[in-house]
Amino acid sequence: MQRIHDPAELAAITKQMRREVIEMITAAKSGHPGGSLSAAEIVVTLYFDVMQHDPANPKWKDRDRFVLSKGHGCPILYAVMAECGYCPKDQLNTLRKLGSIYQGHPDVRFLPALEASTGSLGEGLSLGIGIALAARLDQSPSRTYVLLGDGEIQEGQIWEAAMFAPFHKLDNIVAIVDYNGIQLDGFVKDILDLEPLAEKWRSFGWHTIELKGEGDGNNIPALQRAFAEAATVKGKPTAVIAHTIKGKGVSFMENNPKFHGTAPTPEEAARALQELA
Ligand SMILES: Cc1ncc(C[n+]2csc(CCOP(=O)(O)OP(=O)(O)O)c2C)c(N)n1
Ligand SMILES: [Mg+2]
């Protein structure tokens, strides 16, 4: 796919993707807007600038892989994959309907262009590491990107995987933590604080890049620099701790735990789309 480097162009795509997320979840009358909106720049920057992939040839052996470990954030992934040409845009509003290719969590049985079925939190890093190990065995240049939620990484399996990748000197995998500070029913720091998070990843042996200021994980040039740095690291995996804003782009959803898993009403959706115009 033709890469887009221009941050302004990527930002325009991101805004459009946010609109589609709102429309899809409103049509479904259920879903998780907050974590799709916080991850929008990350997913757009990966698919439109960073990753080597070909929507005309989704099973290309040497493609880079993306695993959405925080599977409930799939509306942003579906919007981006549809924009790339992997799947039909005109079905996005069938999200969460029986038989839709756009299931409530990513499911390869319905949408084979996905790399993995996810949504049972805690599994995606292990999956990604398996994919990355296989790529190394195949002597493929493929790189694997795994997007984790901050609440999700309270799962023990994440830390088993975090221990494994540096031991095997896997340098073709990047774990990104969407550090939006909110999990299902409240603030991460009140439920099970993760700090000092960058130190944890470093101590497990990961090259760790922290996009530290509030909202820096929604900063496209900062993400571009982080992924470029990750590509130069040899002999160890990279973790990107991306401080994002949950609900980013819609004022009344920003930093609001309510919109972790609540669809906007039609009136709220109209206001959201106005803000994203
Ligand atoms: C194993 C497992 N336990 C519980 C859930 C229910 N669940 C869905 S989303 C979520 C909170 C996730 O929070 P976070 O990782 O911070 O996601 P984000 O803020 O990016 O939306 C939970 C507990 C699940 N999907 N899988
Ligand atoms: Mg979170």
Side-chain angles (χ1 to χ4, degrees):
M1 215 175 96
Q2 185 76 36
R3 294 177 186 221
I4 301 172
H5 293 301
D6 177 17
E9 217 177 312
L10 292 168
I13 297 170
T14 307
K15 192 188 253 191
Q16 178 58 28
M17 298 300 96
R18 285 199 163 95
R19 292 176 60 82
E20 290 174 14
V21 163
I22 296 296
E23 286 168 357
M24 292 162 76
I25 296 176
T26 307
K29 301 193 183 82
S30 72
H32 301 82
S36 272
L37 297 173
S38 64
E41 283 83 3
I42 296 168
V43 182
V44 166
T45 302
L46 285 173
Y47 270 85
F48 288 94
D49 182 17
V50 175
M51 294 199 311
Q52 304 251 33
H53 63 115
D54 179 5
N57 187 7
K59 295 295 167 195
W60 172 38
K61 181 177 150 296
D62 288 335
R63 71 193 181 280
D64 291 341
R65 269 77 165 176
F66 178 76
V67 175
L68 182 69
S69 190
K70 41 166 272 184
H72 59 280
C74 56
I76 187 62
L77 177 59
Y78 295 153
V80 166
M81 287 178 69
E83 187 69 23
C84 290
Y86 282 106
C87 42
K89 280 185 138 195
D90 62 1
Q91 290 177 33
L92 284 172
N93 285 356
T94 65
L95 176 74
R96 292 182 156 243
K97 297 271 185 332
L98 202 62
S100 169
I101 59 172
Y102 301 121
Q103 289 293 296
H105 296 81
D107 191 325
V108 289
R109 295 171 303 174
F110 293 82
L111 183 50
L114 290 163
E115 299 295 349
S117 297
T118 50
S120 181
L121 296 171
E123 297 178 353
L125 189 55
S126 309
L127 273 164
I129 287 171
I131 292 169
L133 271 174
R136 186 168 71 183
L137 276 173
D138 288 344
Q139 296 181 322
S140 165
S142 163
R143 294 176 62 73
T144 297
Y145 298 86
V146 179
L147 182 58
L148 303 162
D150 50 0
E152 176 185 18
I153 67 170
Q154 294 161 345
E155 285 273 1
Q157 184 177 343
I158 295 294
W159 300 99
E160 298 177 37
M163 226 181 344
F164 184 92
F167 177 76
H168 289 280
K169 300 187 170 48
L170 267 187
D171 53 17
N172 56 356
I173 186 161
V174 179
I176 306 130
V177 180
D178 182 352
Y179 201 175
N180 57 33
I182 296 177
Q183 54 191 94
L184 187 149
D185 53 2
F187 293 92
V188 174
K189 67 174 172 24
D190 299 328
I191 295 167
L192 181 53
D193 193 15
L194 303 169
E195 287 300 319
L197 187 58
E199 279 178 44
K200 287 192 176 81
W201 286 92
R202 269 186 207 113
S203 74
F204 276 70
W206 292 65
H207 177 76
T208 303
I209 303 167
E210 189 168 22
L211 306 180
K212 219 176 179 150
E214 200 195 356
D216 282 1
N218 299 112
N219 181 315
I220 289 168
L223 289 165
Q224 289 173 312
R225 283 193 296 275
F227 294 130
E229 181 179 324
T232 67
V233 176
K234 300 289 171 231
K236 50 165 75 176
T238 294
V240 177
I241 315 289
H243 290 252
T244 58
I245 294 173
K246 196 149 177 169
K248 169 79 178 172
V250 177
S251 59
F252 58 91
M253 293 188 178
E254 287 192 1
N255 268 320
N256 182 351
K258 177 185 161 190
F259 285 103
H260 166 76
T262 308
T265 63
E267 295 71 35
E268 286 170 334
R271 274 169 59 205
L273 292 173
Q274 240 168 27
E275 292 187 19
L276 294 167

